[in-house]
């Protein structure tokens, strides 16, 4: 293998014929697109068509690691799961931490390509000796937590790493997740694709294998510099102690926290569900991913009250705190732990699942639906029990759950609600950093999105806090800017995070980009500097754009509902909202995209070596 | 009349400015926890300067330059090069951006810090109200 960091092999599985073979990693793709999501989008572009049914046998599911996976570069143990999304109809990509990615590398593979559909439930078992499909009838119907336990026990080792679906994936909930070691490949419904293939789980137990860098001594120096930088950063401290909900108090103060289904600007209850409160009330310990010095994930325990349980579970992340907390005016943190555990076990994305449920609260409390419409439930603001009930119904498609499982747009259509009242874009629920607070998020949620609205693909809310990305060309402008600089900033950040998702690195790890370039170069042997970081990122991002256009995305689809643009009357962002059409137009100009078709210009494609696509 | 930055007189003015800021009083009404500010040498400053800010429930309880060798126990420490502190004082560097970008280092009880971003902003606003003579 010429490019170090990669193993050079991918498992290729056909679930129809049960054929399992090894194929070589395409080095030309890897040179241009690196690994993980970058590799996957280039590979899948040639095989998936607009007519491909995302839940049909012709869709392809890819689990991919990046060239830094198994190294000690901070936060490098993540992996991506990619396919055509059954929820948005465009590029589906979910990013997951934990330990599955490095274990797959240890087993001798950079990734897994899954084609076709099995007649019966199966799981894929991978060891250093072989990969085989096993009967999964005994775990079909079980939640992700129990599935993990059973497979690990069958494998004879607790170090077997598992990625699996719960009942939500089996029942083809459009935003079903793939769970791995209590982390999740959460967004865009990759769990539903896996469920449609009757693939319950992938289990992997590898051999002892060390990461081999291309230039070991220089790599050691470069990675130690990166480790030092990440260890000393404020976000490492903050997330490490308070978890991702650490920002809740600040967000509430400044108008960034979505409240009462996007209609309220500030809320006293936020204090009770913040990371600060969680650290005092429920956290037991940090639960870091592979090679992660940040440790944003925590375990939680609740040992008294209505939601008490034995042992520890994964503590809710920020997005879950919002979807089952501020979005429905629920400030009972322990109940949110319960909601989170249910979603994790069933395999439901808490942003889309919680967002859909919160939409039902909005409709009910505004008199647009009645209790009879929703199986007799009475989802009053602040009452969590109806939400917990809806999670269960959703996972099994029972009663109203059958429509909830299709998401907010389907709920809106059923009850004749205007799209302008539904907080989705490109068919998917918008995540929880209010764009009226950081105007660049208007682009992150709707224009040029790679996988539908995403706070990670273009995390301008975090960048403008002061991340050291000036070498990439990012300018720290006022967050209430809707000018060309903001559009350019978003373009640069989209490109950089596209690179991140091809390495894979976590967006909470933000050393200066030249440090990242040095680590890539010394690890892989590829010449890498800031300019190559920028062009590679832009190439990967544009490849995803081409994929989405191939799937039928048009500029008309790239819009936002009024409920997200209506200025709020109170709170830190009161009265403020971006000029969305202006930002969109500027973004297209910055990108050199045709305003009618959304296509990059021929000159842009040539610049990115994509003119042969 | 302008007061020389990092002098004993200046830190006293800083304390007065905080106490004359009603927005700080409101934002920090719950706050307890003193702060040590450590200004590191850079630019025209060729030595370390540390000063103490006593902060308790909306009031600044006292300020002083810390003598070399003294090490008062403070719940929070804000540290950084002189040049960056000057930028903060002039409003050219947002404190949060300074901390996030590594230009300033803030340590202490994270739970309290993240609840106190408005209070922290008002401390900086108070700083900008002092008529300062820079080095």
């Amino acid at each position: 293998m010429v490019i170090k960091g990669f193993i050079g092999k991918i498992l290729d599985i056909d679930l129809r014929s049960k054929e399992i073979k090894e194929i070589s990693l395409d080095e030309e793709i890897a040179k241009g697109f690196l690994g993980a999501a970058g590799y996957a989008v280039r590979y899948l572009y040639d095989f998936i068509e607009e007519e491909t049914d995302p839940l049909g046998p012709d869709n392809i599911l890819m689990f991919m690691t990046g060239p830094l996976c198994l190294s000690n570069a901070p936060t490098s143990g993540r992996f991506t799961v990619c396919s055509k999304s059954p929820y948005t109809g465009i590029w589906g990509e979910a990013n997951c931490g934990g330990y599955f990615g490095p274990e797959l590398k240890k087993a001798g593979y950079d990734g897994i390509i899954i084609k076709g559909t099995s007649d019966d439930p199966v799981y894929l078992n991978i060891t250093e000796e072989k990969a085989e499909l096993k009967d999964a009838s005994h775990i079909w119907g079980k939640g992700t937590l129990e599935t993990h336990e059973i497979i690990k026990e069958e494998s004879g080792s607790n170090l077997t790493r598992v990625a699996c679906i719960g009942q939500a994936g089996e029942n083809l909930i459009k935003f079903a997740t793939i769970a791995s070691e209590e982390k999740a490949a959460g967004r865009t419904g990759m769990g539903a694709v896996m469920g449609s293939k009757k693939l319950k789980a992938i289990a992997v137990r590898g051999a002892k294998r060390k990461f081999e860098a291309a230039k070991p001594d220089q790599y050691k120096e470069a990675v130690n510099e990166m480790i030092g930088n990440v260890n000393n950063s404020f976000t490492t401290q903050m997330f490490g102690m308070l978890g991702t909900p650490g920002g809740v108090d600040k967000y509430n103060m400044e108008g960034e926290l979505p409240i009462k289904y996007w209609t309220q600007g500030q809320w006293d209850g936020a204090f009770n569900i913040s990371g600060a409160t969680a650290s005092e009330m429920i956290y037991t310990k940090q639960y870091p991913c592979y090679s992660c010095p940040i440790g944003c994930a925590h375990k939680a325990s609740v040992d008294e009250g209505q939601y008490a349980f034995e042992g520890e579970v994964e503590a809710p992340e920020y997005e879950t705190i919002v979807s089952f907390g501020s979005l429905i005016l629920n400030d009972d943190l322990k109940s949110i732990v319960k909601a989170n555990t249910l979603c994790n076990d069933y395999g439901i994305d808490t942003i889309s699942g919680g967002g859909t449920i919160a939409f039902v609260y909005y409709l009910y409390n505004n008199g647009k639906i009645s209790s009879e419409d929703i199986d007799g439930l009475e989802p009053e603001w602040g009452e969590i029990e109806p939400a917990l009930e809806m999670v269960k119904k959703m996972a099994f498609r029972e009663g109203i759950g059958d429509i909830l499982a299709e998401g907010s747009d389907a709920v809106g259509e059923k009850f004749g609600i205007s799209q302008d009242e539904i907080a989705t874009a490109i068919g998917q629920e918008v995540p929880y950093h209010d764009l009226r607070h950081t105007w660049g998020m208007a682009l992150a949620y709707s224009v040029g999105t790679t996988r539908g609205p995403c706070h990670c693909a273009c995390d301008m809310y975090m960048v403008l806090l002061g991340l050291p990305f000036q070498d990439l060309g990012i300018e720290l402008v006022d967050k209430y800017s809707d000018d060309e600089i903001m559009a350019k900033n978003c373009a640069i950040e989209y490109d950089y995070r596209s690179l991140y998702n091809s390495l894979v690195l976590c967006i909470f790890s933000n050393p200066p980009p030249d440090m990242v370039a040095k680590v890539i170069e010394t690890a892989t042997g590829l010449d890498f500097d800031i300019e190559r970081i920028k062009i590679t990122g832009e190439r990967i991002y544009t490849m995803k754009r081409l994929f989405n256009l191939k799937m039928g995305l048009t500029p008309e689809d790239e819009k936002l509902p009024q409920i997200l643009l209506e200025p709020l009357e109170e709170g830190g962002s009161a009265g403020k909202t971006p000029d969305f059409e202006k930002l969109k137009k500027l973004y297209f100009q910055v990108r050199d995209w045709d305003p009618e078709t959304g296509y990059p210009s021929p000159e842009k494609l040539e610049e990115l070596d994509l003119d042969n696509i | 009349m302008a007061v020389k930055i990092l002098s004993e007189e200046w830190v006293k003015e800083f304390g007065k400015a905080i106490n004359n800021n009603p927005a700080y009083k409101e934002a920090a009404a719950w706050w307890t926890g003193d702060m040590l500010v450590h200004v590191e040498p850079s630019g025209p400053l060729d030595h370390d300067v540390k000063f103490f800010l006593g902060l308790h429930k909306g009031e600044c309880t006292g300020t002083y330059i810390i003598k070399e060798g003294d090490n008062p126990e403070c719940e929070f420490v804000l540290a950084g090069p002189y040049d960056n502190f000057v930028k903060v004082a002039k409003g050219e560097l947002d404190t949060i951006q300074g901390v996030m970008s590594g230009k300033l280092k803030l340590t202490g009880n994270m739970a309290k810090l993240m609840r106190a971003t408005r209070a922290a902003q008002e401390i900086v606003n108070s700083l900008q109200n002092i008529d300062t003579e820079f080095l």
Side-chain angles (χ1 to χ4, degrees), chain A residues 15 61 63 114 121-124 133 140 165 194-195 197-202:
Chain A
L15 291 175
L61 186 66
F63 285 70
I114 300 158
V122 291
Y123 78 91
L124 176 64
L133 287 166
W140 194 260
I165 57 174
M194 197 158 159
K197 296 182 175 303
K198 295 236 172 20
L199 179 63
K200 176 67 177 176
I202 303 174

mmCIF file with all atom_site columns, all heavy atoms in Angstrom, chain A residues 15 61 63 114 121-124 133 140 165 194-195 197-202:
data_model
loop_
_atom_site.group_PDB
_atom_site.id
_atom_site.type_symbol
_atom_site.label_atom_id
_atom_site.label_alt_id
_atom_site.label_comp_id
_atom_site.label_asym_id
_atom_site.label_entity_id
_atom_site.label_seq_id
_atom_site.pdbx_PDB_ins_code
_atom_site.Cartn_x
_atom_site.Cartn_y
_atom_site.Cartn_z
_atom_site.occupancy
_atom_site.B_iso_or_equiv
_atom_site.pdbx_formal_charge
_atom_site.auth_seq_id
_atom_site.auth_comp_id
_atom_site.auth_asym_id
_atom_site.auth_atom_id
_atom_site.pdbx_PDB_model_num
ATOM 1   N N   . LEU A 1 15  ? -25.372 -9.377  0.101  1.00 0.00 ? 15  LEU A N   1
ATOM 2   C CA  . LEU A 1 15  ? -26.285 -10.082 1.003  1.00 0.00 ? 15  LEU A CA  1
ATOM 3   C C   . LEU A 1 15  ? -27.264 -10.979 0.252  1.00 0.00 ? 15  LEU A C   1
ATOM 4   O O   . LEU A 1 15  ? -27.855 -11.878 0.834  1.00 0.00 ? 15  LEU A O   1
ATOM 5   C CB  . LEU A 1 15  ? -27.057 -9.068  1.855  1.00 0.00 ? 15  LEU A CB  1
ATOM 6   C CG  . LEU A 1 15  ? -26.210 -8.311  2.887  1.00 0.00 ? 15  LEU A CG  1
ATOM 7   C CD1 . LEU A 1 15  ? -27.059 -7.238  3.579  1.00 0.00 ? 15  LEU A CD1 1
ATOM 8   C CD2 . LEU A 1 15  ? -25.619 -9.240  3.929  1.00 0.00 ? 15  LEU A CD2 1
ATOM 9   N N   . LEU A 1 61  ? -24.585 0.309   1.148  1.00 0.00 ? 61  LEU A N   1
ATOM 10  C CA  . LEU A 1 61  ? -24.244 0.878   2.465  1.00 0.00 ? 61  LEU A CA  1
ATOM 11  C C   . LEU A 1 61  ? -22.744 0.695   2.672  1.00 0.00 ? 61  LEU A C   1
ATOM 12  O O   . LEU A 1 61  ? -22.218 -0.404  2.491  1.00 0.00 ? 61  LEU A O   1
ATOM 13  C CB  . LEU A 1 61  ? -25.030 0.134   3.552  1.00 0.00 ? 61  LEU A CB  1
ATOM 14  C CG  . LEU A 1 61  ? -24.935 0.640   4.992  1.00 0.00 ? 61  LEU A CG  1
ATOM 15  C CD1 . LEU A 1 61  ? -25.571 2.011   5.134  1.00 0.00 ? 61  LEU A CD1 1
ATOM 16  C CD2 . LEU A 1 61  ? -25.616 -0.347  5.947  1.00 0.00 ? 61  LEU A CD2 1
ATOM 17  N N   . PHE A 1 63  ? -19.478 1.269   5.299  1.00 0.00 ? 63  PHE A N   1
ATOM 18  C CA  . PHE A 1 63  ? -18.832 1.639   6.562  1.00 0.00 ? 63  PHE A CA  1
ATOM 19  C C   . PHE A 1 63  ? -17.379 1.929   6.193  1.00 0.00 ? 63  PHE A C   1
ATOM 20  O O   . PHE A 1 63  ? -16.709 1.059   5.628  1.00 0.00 ? 63  PHE A O   1
ATOM 21  C CB  . PHE A 1 63  ? -18.860 0.474   7.561  1.00 0.00 ? 63  PHE A CB  1
ATOM 22  C CG  . PHE A 1 63  ? -20.194 0.228   8.183  1.00 0.00 ? 63  PHE A CG  1
ATOM 23  C CD1 . PHE A 1 63  ? -21.249 -0.294  7.443  1.00 0.00 ? 63  PHE A CD1 1
ATOM 24  C CD2 . PHE A 1 63  ? -20.407 0.489   9.533  1.00 0.00 ? 63  PHE A CD2 1
ATOM 25  C CE1 . PHE A 1 63  ? -22.490 -0.531  8.030  1.00 0.00 ? 63  PHE A CE1 1
ATOM 26  C CE2 . PHE A 1 63  ? -21.648 0.248   10.122 1.00 0.00 ? 63  PHE A CE2 1
ATOM 27  C CZ  . PHE A 1 63  ? -22.682 -0.264  9.367  1.00 0.00 ? 63  PHE A CZ  1
ATOM 28  N N   . ILE A 1 114 ? -21.639 -2.949  1.552  1.00 0.00 ? 114 ILE A N   1
ATOM 29  C CA  . ILE A 1 114 ? -22.743 -3.901  1.717  1.00 0.00 ? 114 ILE A CA  1
ATOM 30  C C   . ILE A 1 114 ? -23.774 -3.684  0.616  1.00 0.00 ? 114 ILE A C   1
ATOM 31  O O   . ILE A 1 114 ? -24.369 -2.610  0.510  1.00 0.00 ? 114 ILE A O   1
ATOM 32  C CB  . ILE A 1 114 ? -23.385 -3.745  3.096  1.00 0.00 ? 114 ILE A CB  1
ATOM 33  C CG1 . ILE A 1 114 ? -22.337 -4.011  4.175  1.00 0.00 ? 114 ILE A CG1 1
ATOM 34  C CG2 . ILE A 1 114 ? -24.555 -4.716  3.266  1.00 0.00 ? 114 ILE A CG2 1
ATOM 35  C CD1 . ILE A 1 114 ? -22.654 -3.419  5.505  1.00 0.00 ? 114 ILE A CD1 1
ATOM 36  N N   . PRO A 1 121 ? -32.828 -12.297 8.504  1.00 0.00 ? 121 PRO A N   1
ATOM 37  C CA  . PRO A 1 121 ? -31.914 -11.459 9.293  1.00 0.00 ? 121 PRO A CA  1
ATOM 38  C C   . PRO A 1 121 ? -30.567 -12.136 9.505  1.00 0.00 ? 121 PRO A C   1
ATOM 39  O O   . PRO A 1 121 ? -30.500 -13.306 9.883  1.00 0.00 ? 121 PRO A O   1
ATOM 40  C CB  . PRO A 1 121 ? -32.657 -11.293 10.620 1.00 0.00 ? 121 PRO A CB  1
ATOM 41  C CG  . PRO A 1 121 ? -34.085 -11.550 10.322 1.00 0.00 ? 121 PRO A CG  1
ATOM 42  C CD  . PRO A 1 121 ? -34.099 -12.562 9.226  1.00 0.00 ? 121 PRO A CD  1
ATOM 43  N N   . VAL A 1 122 ? -29.525 -11.362 9.259  1.00 0.00 ? 122 VAL A N   1
ATOM 44  C CA  . VAL A 1 122 ? -28.171 -11.873 9.447  1.00 0.00 ? 122 VAL A CA  1
ATOM 45  C C   . VAL A 1 122 ? -27.344 -10.829 10.185 1.00 0.00 ? 122 VAL A C   1
ATOM 46  O O   . VAL A 1 122 ? -27.728 -9.659  10.271 1.00 0.00 ? 122 VAL A O   1
ATOM 47  C CB  . VAL A 1 122 ? -27.474 -12.190 8.094  1.00 0.00 ? 122 VAL A CB  1
ATOM 48  C CG1 . VAL A 1 122 ? -28.112 -13.372 7.419  1.00 0.00 ? 122 VAL A CG1 1
ATOM 49  C CG2 . VAL A 1 122 ? -27.452 -10.971 7.194  1.00 0.00 ? 122 VAL A CG2 1
ATOM 50  N N   . TYR A 1 123 ? -26.201 -11.298 10.722 1.00 0.00 ? 123 TYR A N   1
ATOM 51  C CA  . TYR A 1 123 ? -25.201 -10.328 11.144 1.00 0.00 ? 123 TYR A CA  1
ATOM 52  C C   . TYR A 1 123 ? -23.851 -10.745 10.592 1.00 0.00 ? 123 TYR A C   1
ATOM 53  O O   . TYR A 1 123 ? -23.593 -11.916 10.340 1.00 0.00 ? 123 TYR A O   1
ATOM 54  C CB  . TYR A 1 123 ? -25.201 -10.083 12.650 1.00 0.00 ? 123 TYR A CB  1
ATOM 55  C CG  . TYR A 1 123 ? -24.542 -11.105 13.555 1.00 0.00 ? 123 TYR A CG  1
ATOM 56  C CD1 . TYR A 1 123 ? -23.200 -10.991 13.912 1.00 0.00 ? 123 TYR A CD1 1
ATOM 57  C CD2 . TYR A 1 123 ? -25.289 -12.137 14.124 1.00 0.00 ? 123 TYR A CD2 1
ATOM 58  C CE1 . TYR A 1 123 ? -22.604 -11.893 14.788 1.00 0.00 ? 123 TYR A CE1 1
ATOM 59  C CE2 . TYR A 1 123 ? -24.706 -13.038 14.993 1.00 0.00 ? 123 TYR A CE2 1
ATOM 60  C CZ  . TYR A 1 123 ? -23.369 -12.911 15.331 1.00 0.00 ? 123 TYR A CZ  1
ATOM 61  O OH  . TYR A 1 123 ? -22.783 -13.811 16.200 1.00 0.00 ? 123 TYR A OH  1
ATOM 62  N N   . LEU A 1 124 ? -23.015 -9.781  10.366 1.00 0.00 ? 124 LEU A N   1
ATOM 63  C CA  . LEU A 1 124 ? -21.689 -9.991  9.786  1.00 0.00 ? 124 LEU A CA  1
ATOM 64  C C   . LEU A 1 124 ? -20.682 -10.084 10.918 1.00 0.00 ? 124 LEU A C   1
ATOM 65  O O   . LEU A 1 124 ? -20.613 -9.185  11.752 1.00 0.00 ? 124 LEU A O   1
ATOM 66  C CB  . LEU A 1 124 ? -21.341 -8.819  8.852  1.00 0.00 ? 124 LEU A CB  1
ATOM 67  C CG  . LEU A 1 124 ? -19.944 -8.793  8.223  1.00 0.00 ? 124 LEU A CG  1
ATOM 68  C CD1 . LEU A 1 124 ? -19.762 -9.979  7.289  1.00 0.00 ? 124 LEU A CD1 1
ATOM 69  C CD2 . LEU A 1 124 ? -19.754 -7.487  7.455  1.00 0.00 ? 124 LEU A CD2 1
ATOM 70  N N   . LEU A 1 133 ? -21.251 -14.416 7.419  1.00 0.00 ? 133 LEU A N   1
ATOM 71  C CA  . LEU A 1 133 ? -22.612 -13.985 7.753  1.00 0.00 ? 133 LEU A CA  1
ATOM 72  C C   . LEU A 1 133 ? -23.243 -15.043 8.646  1.00 0.00 ? 133 LEU A C   1
ATOM 73  O O   . LEU A 1 133 ? -23.198 -16.237 8.340  1.00 0.00 ? 133 LEU A O   1
ATOM 74  C CB  . LEU A 1 133 ? -23.435 -13.809 6.467  1.00 0.00 ? 133 LEU A CB  1
ATOM 75  C CG  . LEU A 1 133 ? -23.064 -12.583 5.632  1.00 0.00 ? 133 LEU A CG  1
ATOM 76  C CD1 . LEU A 1 133 ? -23.663 -12.666 4.236  1.00 0.00 ? 133 LEU A CD1 1
ATOM 77  C CD2 . LEU A 1 133 ? -23.508 -11.304 6.319  1.00 0.00 ? 133 LEU A CD2 1
ATOM 78  N N   . TRP A 1 140 ? -32.937 -10.424 16.178 1.00 0.00 ? 140 TRP A N   1
ATOM 79  C CA  . TRP A 1 140 ? -33.870 -9.560  15.450 1.00 0.00 ? 140 TRP A CA  1
ATOM 80  C C   . TRP A 1 140 ? -35.047 -9.254  16.379 1.00 0.00 ? 140 TRP A C   1
ATOM 81  O O   . TRP A 1 140 ? -35.612 -10.156 16.972 1.00 0.00 ? 140 TRP A O   1
ATOM 82  C CB  . TRP A 1 140 ? -34.354 -10.254 14.173 1.00 0.00 ? 140 TRP A CB  1
ATOM 83  C CG  . TRP A 1 140 ? -35.046 -9.335  13.196 1.00 0.00 ? 140 TRP A CG  1
ATOM 84  C CD1 . TRP A 1 140 ? -36.393 -9.197  13.024 1.00 0.00 ? 140 TRP A CD1 1
ATOM 85  C CD2 . TRP A 1 140 ? -34.427 -8.446  12.270 1.00 0.00 ? 140 TRP A CD2 1
ATOM 86  N NE1 . TRP A 1 140 ? -36.646 -8.278  12.047 1.00 0.00 ? 140 TRP A NE1 1
ATOM 87  C CE2 . TRP A 1 140 ? -35.454 -7.797  11.564 1.00 0.00 ? 140 TRP A CE2 1
ATOM 88  C CE3 . TRP A 1 140 ? -33.096 -8.124  11.956 1.00 0.00 ? 140 TRP A CE3 1
ATOM 89  C CZ2 . TRP A 1 140 ? -35.201 -6.849  10.552 1.00 0.00 ? 140 TRP A CZ2 1
ATOM 90  C CZ3 . TRP A 1 140 ? -32.849 -7.200  10.967 1.00 0.00 ? 140 TRP A CZ3 1
ATOM 91  C CH2 . TRP A 1 140 ? -33.907 -6.561  10.280 1.00 0.00 ? 140 TRP A CH2 1
ATOM 92  N N   . ILE A 1 165 ? -28.369 -2.212  14.636 1.00 0.00 ? 165 ILE A N   1
ATOM 93  C CA  . ILE A 1 165 ? -29.613 -1.452  14.641 1.00 0.00 ? 165 ILE A CA  1
ATOM 94  C C   . ILE A 1 165 ? -30.527 -1.988  15.740 1.00 0.00 ? 165 ILE A C   1
ATOM 95  O O   . ILE A 1 165 ? -30.370 -3.117  16.214 1.00 0.00 ? 165 ILE A O   1
ATOM 96  C CB  . ILE A 1 165 ? -30.337 -1.517  13.274 1.00 0.00 ? 165 ILE A CB  1
ATOM 97  C CG1 . ILE A 1 165 ? -30.614 -2.975  12.862 1.00 0.00 ? 165 ILE A CG1 1
ATOM 98  C CG2 . ILE A 1 165 ? -29.540 -0.797  12.215 1.00 0.00 ? 165 ILE A CG2 1
ATOM 99  C CD1 . ILE A 1 165 ? -31.459 -3.115  11.600 1.00 0.00 ? 165 ILE A CD1 1
ATOM 100 N N   . MET A 1 194 ? -29.741 -0.161  6.735  1.00 0.00 ? 194 MET A N   1
ATOM 101 C CA  . MET A 1 194 ? -29.236 -1.442  7.266  1.00 0.00 ? 194 MET A CA  1
ATOM 102 C C   . MET A 1 194 ? -30.407 -2.387  7.539  1.00 0.00 ? 194 MET A C   1
ATOM 103 O O   . MET A 1 194 ? -30.331 -3.584  7.228  1.00 0.00 ? 194 MET A O   1
ATOM 104 C CB  . MET A 1 194 ? -28.454 -1.159  8.545  1.00 0.00 ? 194 MET A CB  1
ATOM 105 C CG  . MET A 1 194 ? -27.533 -2.259  9.005  1.00 0.00 ? 194 MET A CG  1
ATOM 106 S SD  . MET A 1 194 ? -26.258 -1.590  10.093 1.00 0.00 ? 194 MET A SD  1
ATOM 107 C CE  . MET A 1 194 ? -25.764 -3.068  10.963 1.00 0.00 ? 194 MET A CE  1
ATOM 108 N N   . GLY A 1 195 ? -31.480 -1.851  8.086  1.00 0.00 ? 195 GLY A N   1
ATOM 109 C CA  . GLY A 1 195 ? -32.653 -2.679  8.368  1.00 0.00 ? 195 GLY A CA  1
ATOM 110 C C   . GLY A 1 195 ? -33.298 -3.207  7.103  1.00 0.00 ? 195 GLY A C   1
ATOM 111 O O   . GLY A 1 195 ? -33.766 -4.351  7.061  1.00 0.00 ? 195 GLY A O   1
ATOM 112 N N   . LYS A 1 197 ? -31.885 -4.094  4.564  1.00 0.00 ? 197 LYS A N   1
ATOM 113 C CA  . LYS A 1 197 ? -31.045 -5.190  4.054  1.00 0.00 ? 197 LYS A CA  1
ATOM 114 C C   . LYS A 1 197 ? -31.100 -6.403  4.981  1.00 0.00 ? 197 LYS A C   1
ATOM 115 O O   . LYS A 1 197 ? -30.405 -7.391  4.736  1.00 0.00 ? 197 LYS A O   1
ATOM 116 C CB  . LYS A 1 197 ? -29.595 -4.706  3.900  1.00 0.00 ? 197 LYS A CB  1
ATOM 117 C CG  . LYS A 1 197 ? -29.480 -3.597  2.858  1.00 0.00 ? 197 LYS A CG  1
ATOM 118 C CD  . LYS A 1 197 ? -28.064 -3.150  2.650  1.00 0.00 ? 197 LYS A CD  1
ATOM 119 C CE  . LYS A 1 197 ? -27.997 -2.123  1.516  1.00 0.00 ? 197 LYS A CE  1
ATOM 120 N NZ  . LYS A 1 197 ? -28.552 -2.605  0.241  1.00 0.00 ? 197 LYS A NZ  1
ATOM 121 N N   . LYS A 1 198 ? -31.881 -6.287  6.050  1.00 0.00 ? 198 LYS A N   1
ATOM 122 C CA  . LYS A 1 198 ? -31.980 -7.337  7.059  1.00 0.00 ? 198 LYS A CA  1
ATOM 123 C C   . LYS A 1 198 ? -30.604 -7.650  7.651  1.00 0.00 ? 198 LYS A C   1
ATOM 124 O O   . LYS A 1 198 ? -30.325 -8.780  8.049  1.00 0.00 ? 198 LYS A O   1
ATOM 125 C CB  . LYS A 1 198 ? -32.628 -8.618  6.486  1.00 0.00 ? 198 LYS A CB  1
ATOM 126 C CG  . LYS A 1 198 ? -34.075 -8.452  6.074  1.00 0.00 ? 198 LYS A CG  1
ATOM 127 C CD  . LYS A 1 198 ? -34.957 -9.454  6.780  1.00 0.00 ? 198 LYS A CD  1
ATOM 128 C CE  . LYS A 1 198 ? -36.445 -9.291  6.627  1.00 0.00 ? 198 LYS A CE  1
ATOM 129 N NZ  . LYS A 1 198 ? -36.954 -8.515  5.529  1.00 0.00 ? 198 LYS A NZ  1
ATOM 130 N N   . LEU A 1 199 ? -29.794 -6.656  7.744  1.00 0.00 ? 199 LEU A N   1
ATOM 131 C CA  . LEU A 1 199 ? -28.495 -6.797  8.386  1.00 0.00 ? 199 LEU A CA  1
ATOM 132 C C   . LEU A 1 199 ? -28.632 -6.208  9.778  1.00 0.00 ? 199 LEU A C   1
ATOM 133 O O   . LEU A 1 199 ? -28.766 -5.004  9.935  1.00 0.00 ? 199 LEU A O   1
ATOM 134 C CB  . LEU A 1 199 ? -27.413 -6.053  7.593  1.00 0.00 ? 199 LEU A CB  1
ATOM 135 C CG  . LEU A 1 199 ? -26.003 -6.086  8.171  1.00 0.00 ? 199 LEU A CG  1
ATOM 136 C CD1 . LEU A 1 199 ? -25.455 -7.502  8.212  1.00 0.00 ? 199 LEU A CD1 1
ATOM 137 C CD2 . LEU A 1 199 ? -25.061 -5.184  7.355  1.00 0.00 ? 199 LEU A CD2 1
ATOM 138 N N   . LYS A 1 200 ? -28.640 -7.052  10.782 1.00 0.00 ? 200 LYS A N   1
ATOM 139 C CA  . LYS A 1 200 ? -28.893 -6.602  12.147 1.00 0.00 ? 200 LYS A CA  1
ATOM 140 C C   . LYS A 1 200 ? -27.662 -5.949  12.761 1.00 0.00 ? 200 LYS A C   1
ATOM 141 O O   . LYS A 1 200 ? -27.768 -4.986  13.513 1.00 0.00 ? 200 LYS A O   1
ATOM 142 C CB  . LYS A 1 200 ? -29.321 -7.792  13.019 1.00 0.00 ? 200 LYS A CB  1
ATOM 143 C CG  . LYS A 1 200 ? -29.529 -7.486  14.498 1.00 0.00 ? 200 LYS A CG  1
ATOM 144 C CD  . LYS A 1 200 ? -30.712 -6.570  14.745 1.00 0.00 ? 200 LYS A CD  1
ATOM 145 C CE  . LYS A 1 200 ? -30.929 -6.360  16.246 1.00 0.00 ? 200 LYS A CE  1
ATOM 146 N NZ  . LYS A 1 200 ? -32.000 -5.398  16.522 1.00 0.00 ? 200 LYS A NZ  1
ATOM 147 N N   . ALA A 1 201 ? -26.504 -6.525  12.472 1.00 0.00 ? 201 ALA A N   1
ATOM 148 C CA  . ALA A 1 201 ? -25.307 -6.028  13.168 1.00 0.00 ? 201 ALA A CA  1
ATOM 149 C C   . ALA A 1 201 ? -24.047 -6.412  12.398 1.00 0.00 ? 201 ALA A C   1
ATOM 150 O O   . ALA A 1 201 ? -24.055 -7.300  11.542 1.00 0.00 ? 201 ALA A O   1
ATOM 151 C CB  . ALA A 1 201 ? -25.230 -6.613  14.583 1.00 0.00 ? 201 ALA A CB  1
ATOM 152 N N   . ILE A 1 202 ? -22.981 -5.705  12.746 1.00 0.00 ? 202 ILE A N   1
ATOM 153 C CA  . ILE A 1 202 ? -21.636 -6.086  12.323 1.00 0.00 ? 202 ILE A CA  1
ATOM 154 C C   . ILE A 1 202 ? -20.810 -6.199  13.594 1.00 0.00 ? 202 ILE A C   1
ATOM 155 O O   . ILE A 1 202 ? -20.819 -5.283  14.422 1.00 0.00 ? 202 ILE A O   1
ATOM 156 C CB  . ILE A 1 202 ? -20.997 -5.052  11.381 1.00 0.00 ? 202 ILE A CB  1
ATOM 157 C CG1 . ILE A 1 202 ? -21.876 -4.829  10.149 1.00 0.00 ? 202 ILE A CG1 1
ATOM 158 C CG2 . ILE A 1 202 ? -19.595 -5.493  10.971 1.00 0.00 ? 202 ILE A CG2 1
ATOM 159 C CD1 . ILE A 1 202 ? -21.381 -3.720  9.230  1.00 0.00 ? 202 ILE A CD1 1
#
